[in-house]
Amino acid sequence: MKVRVDVMLKQGVLDPQGEAVKSALGALGFTGVEGVRQGKVIELELAEGATEADVKAMCEKLLANTVIESYAIHM
Amino acid sequence: MKVRVDVMLKQGVLDPQGEAVKSALGALGFTGVEGVRQGKVIELELAEGATEADVKAMCEKLLANTVIESYAIHM
């Protein structure tokens, strides 16, 4: 089974990658870009029977730094 | 308006980050992880009126390296 986990920096945490993308888009002539946040997407291929609790444990222990990042699980 | 762009390495392109996550999950005792692919998610806050064509141009010019990466736009 395929599971997708999105990991984003929490609101209020400075996102230098996103800021760099925003300024690069501006330099390339794209107007109207008001904000950019960049995060990670992790696609897991799991054996059948894996539960959302398993994936949550993976996020808490490895995939996300929960001090500064939030995650969303899509099963 | 908010637009999400997912950027993933194409099938067949080696994904060392994903492999590292997979082996780390195994080392932490998570069994049944058959594959991991890691990509980027970019959340754009655009002025009203931006079209999918605009976002596609951003992807082609900056957000994705289309030689090795594919992207998906979610408006």
Side-chain angles (χ1 to χ4, degrees), chain A residues 42-44, chain B residues 15 18-19 21-22 25 33-38:
Chain A
I42 300 158
E43 283 182 2
L44 301 163
Chain B
D15 178 2
E19 288 302 310
V21 169
K22 185 184 166 194
L25 285 171
V33 180
E34 291 162 4
V36 180
R37 304 282 288 173
Q38 185 171 327

Side-chain angles (χ1 to χ4, degrees), chain A residues 47-70:
Chain A
E48 284 307 317
T51 64
E52 186 157 347
D54 296 331
V55 182
K56 203 171 169 206
M58 292 178 196
C59 291
E60 296 281 340
K61 284 197 185 161
L62 182 75
L63 303 181
N65 174 355
T66 54
V67 177
I68 55 167
E69 292 172 326
S70 60

